[in-house]
Amino acid sequence: MSSTPPREDSLPPSSSPGDPMRSVIDLVNARAASSGLVRSRSEYEGDDDDESNIDPSLRRPRSTNTELTVATATNFLMRGHAIKRQKTFTPESDRDFEEFLRSNNDAEHKIYIYSGLLECRDLLKLLTQSSEYRMSETLKKTAADYATAFVLAPSILFYKKKSGPPTVLAAMRELNISGLPASCETGRCDVVLTAIAKGMTDIRYHVKDKIANTVKKCENGVSRDIATLTQACIGNSKAKLTAALLIRIAFLRWVMAKYPKLSSEKYWDQVDTSLADYRQQFPGSGEMQIAFRVIYDEDLKKYGAPDTTNNPTTASHEVDSWLRTINVHAGALAPTAAGPVEE
């Protein structure tokens, strides 16, 4: 049995006459609507709220906003107390925490937290500004190492000049030693300079003591050759026994033998004076090397050949780069930095 095709005047008008697919869709919708298969959107949405025809025992229980708020606040309070039992608060902090828990407003909680963070920031700033600067133990050790390396540098031009510590600090800055205060923080820089000056004083005392023991008559089998003496001066420091350092220690021993009765401080003053005199008498680097070599040869005649078997030397190009940097600064004619530290 064939169905009668719908009349053209019964078809809904096409929204886009040139779109054949749109015409088909409109036709399908029209037929579905006439057969009762299509319901409007408002009818479906109305069904969700209409429970008049549902068995009362099957209806969904409705929760009011007030009930939800009370439940959430109760859970928040219980959880907060559970966390507090794991902490140790002062009485003041305990009261503040309870006040925080009693508030069930999220915005108020954020205000509490942010205000607390600001208070902590202000307190940290106050502590930082009022606390006295102290060098870390690591920086103290590094400053002492650099001070020792400076005094044991073969090219050093002076041992007691007040620009010594700033010169060491300049070398440390060039090598990017961590923990150093900025140069504009002069008060903190003075603390570092004082530590460097102390390190230089300690190593000068140590070196003079070792040299003095060899200038005296040989007692108790003390070896007096220059290599053994130089290694004793180096001790546990990070300096290296090089040919240049052997010559420099021989010069220090020559000064002590020439002025045996000088006190420790006067001795180093005389060393600096002798070095300055040599630079005037022998302005060329070649002449200076010859002068130092003459003193070194005299040392070998008096105290014996260097025992390089038990005290092997290190080639200058094998010396650590940071030691070479200090040697360059120590041999600079003009101090690389100025400073207020007096030794």
Side-chain angles (χ1 to χ4, degrees):
M1 179 176 177
S2 61
S3 60
T4 303
R7 296 177 353 201
E8 291 184 7
D9 57 358
S10 66
L11 296 176
S14 173
S15 59
S16 178
D19 183 0
M21 180 57 69
R22 184 71 246 179
S23 299
V24 174
I25 293 174
D26 292 340
L27 178 60
V28 171
N29 289 338
R31 290 187 176 179
S34 64
S35 62
L37 297 176
V38 176
R39 300 172 65 187
S40 67
R41 179 177 178 181
S42 61
E43 291 180 87
Y44 281 112
E45 292 175 345
D47 287 347
D48 291 339
D49 296 328
D50 185 9
E51 296 181 354
S52 59
N53 296 325
I54 299 178
D55 187 335
S57 63
L58 300 177
R59 292 177 183 174
R60 299 189 305 268
R62 295 180 180 272
S63 299
T64 65
N65 289 335
T66 303
E67 291 173 340
L68 289 174
T69 302
V70 172
T72 302
T74 301
N75 291 336
F76 181 78
L77 191 63
M78 293 175 61
R79 181 57 181 160
H81 284 149
I83 293 175
K84 191 178 79 168
R85 285 192 291 271
Q86 302 173 17
K87 308 294 181 182
T88 302
F89 289 147
T90 63
E92 182 181 3
S93 296
D94 188 276
R95 289 193 301 270
D96 291 342
F97 190 73
E98 285 295 330
E99 187 175 351
F100 179 82
L101 292 180
R102 284 194 294 271
S103 172
N104 57 7
N105 186 297
D106 185 58
E108 190 173 350
H109 285 158
K110 291 179 180 178
I111 292 173
Y112 270 116
I113 294 171
Y114 188 65
S115 62
L117 289 174
L118 292 177
E119 187 177 21
C120 290
R121 184 187 66 180
D122 292 341
L123 289 173
L124 286 173
K125 283 184 177 179
L126 182 62
L127 289 172
T128 302
Q129 293 171 357
S130 61
S131 61
E132 182 180 354
Y133 172 71
R134 296 179 183 276
M135 292 176 62
S136 67
E137 293 302 317
T138 301
L139 185 56
K140 285 182 182 179
K141 178 63 168 61
T142 302
D145 287 342
Y146 275 65
T148 299
F150 179 81
V151 172
L152 293 175
S155 66
I156 187 171
L157 299 180
F158 52 84
Y159 289 87
K160 272 198 63 184
K161 213 169 183 179
K162 66 179 182 180
S163 55
T167 302
V168 175
L169 180 57
M172 294 173 70
R173 290 195 187 283
E174 180 179 326
L175 293 166
N176 298 316
I177 299 302
S178 61
L180 289 175
S183 57
C184 60
E185 297 184 89
T186 55
R188 296 187 174 193
C189 288
D190 284 348
V191 175
V192 178
L193 290 171
T194 300
I196 295 173
K198 181 182 181 303
M200 292 179 64
T201 300
D202 291 344
I203 186 60
R204 284 199 306 265
Y205 177 85
H206 171 77
V207 170
K208 180 183 180 297
D209 181 63
K210 297 301 180 183
I211 294 175
N213 288 338
T214 63
V215 171
K216 300 174 184 178
K217 291 183 178 180
C218 184
E219 298 175 358
N220 299 325
V222 175
S223 297
R224 300 196 294 172
D225 70 275
I226 192 62
T228 302
L229 170 59
T230 303
Q231 187 58 59
C233 292
I234 292 173
N236 295 324
S237 73
K238 294 177 173 54
K240 300 299 181 183
L241 195 156
T242 62
L245 186 56
L246 292 176
I247 294 174
R248 177 51 63 99
I249 298 297
F251 171 79
L252 295 179
R253 180 154 61 176
W254 173 79
V255 174
M256 182 170 288
K258 193 173 181 180
Y259 304 95
K261 296 182 179 181
L262 293 177
S263 64
S264 182
E265 293 304 309
K266 294 296 183 180
Y267 164 74
W268 291 108
D269 289 336
Q270 183 58 54
V271 168
D272 285 349
T273 300
S274 298
L275 284 173
D277 290 343
Y278 263 51
R279 285 195 294 272
Q280 288 183 352
Q281 295 176 25
F282 311 104
S285 59
E287 293 176 318
M288 277 287 289
Q289 290 179 4
I290 294 173
F292 277 121
R293 185 72 195 198
V294 169
I295 293 175
Y296 177 74
D297 291 341
E298 289 296 322
D299 186 275
L300 299 187
K301 293 178 182 178
K302 186 174 183 178
Y303 300 104
D307 181 7
T308 55
T309 300
N310 293 317
N311 306 286
T313 59
T314 300
S316 58
H317 65 274
E318 295 179 351
V319 174
D320 296 339
S321 60
W322 69 275
L323 290 171
R324 294 200 300 270
T325 297
I326 293 177
N327 193 48
V328 170
H329 281 261
L333 286 176
T336 53
V341 177
E342 295 286 348
E343 298 180 58

